[in-house]
Amino acid sequence: MGKTVTTYLIDGDPKGTQYAFISNKICQMFVVPRSNLAYLNTQEKLHKPAFYILLGEDEATKPQAYIGETENFRERVKDHDSKKSFWQKALIFVSKDADMTKADVQYLEHKAICARYRRGAKRPR
């Protein structure tokens, strides 16, 4: 059975800031380019528990991903902005209402990390 995914191009650019959701699911996703972190200041939705993935490339142009969870993405990303240089885009998953807890986003983080290593990614040392 098919699903409908609704995607809003916040700034009208398919490579820019986006908001997406599936109507009968509790989770919503924001795609925010690093160049538009100011958008986060306008989003109260990002003051709650979130599972996120930072995407980018390292110096050798190899794709990289950082998987994390937080109780407040707006605050957490400030640290990543100053300490992690590789990423260009953040995928942020939060609840459409108040149904996702800290435990829920920790579970999603765990599942994402396990899936990444099952696909052959090297564990960091």
Side-chain angles (χ1 to χ4, degrees), residues 34-117:
R34 189 173 192 167
S35 60
N36 194 17
L37 290 182
Y39 174 76
L40 302 176
N41 295 327
T42 68
Q43 294 302 308
E44 292 298 320
K45 297 173 185 177
L46 299 174
H47 275 289
K48 50 188 169 181
F51 159 67
Y52 63 93
I53 303 171
L54 303 178
L55 298 173
E57 296 177 348
D58 66 10
E59 298 81 29
T61 65
K62 293 182 181 178
Q64 284 196 335
Y66 177 90
I67 298 168
E69 59 81 22
T70 183
E71 290 189 64
N72 183 332
F73 184 77
R74 273 182 19 175
E75 294 303 315
R76 181 71 175 115
V77 77
K78 292 175 185 175
D79 186 52
H80 291 317
D81 191 35
S82 66
K83 295 181 180 176
K84 293 183 178 10
S85 61
F86 78 91
W87 67 279
Q88 288 99 29
K89 179 186 333 185
L91 309 178
I92 311 145
F93 300 86
V94 294
S95 178
K96 284 196 278 187
D97 42 38
D99 288 341
M100 283 177 37
T101 66
K102 173 83 169 163
D104 294 326
V105 296
Q106 287 174 328
Y107 174 77
L108 292 173
E109 176 192 39
H110 171 76
K111 294 298 280 184
I113 291 169
C114 289
R116 182 175 184 212
Y117 293 121

Side-chain angles (χ1 to χ4, degrees), residues 4 13 15 21 42 49 63 97 115 125:
T4 300
D13 179 359
K15 293 183 180 181
F21 66 92
T42 68
D97 42 38
R125 298 192 186 243

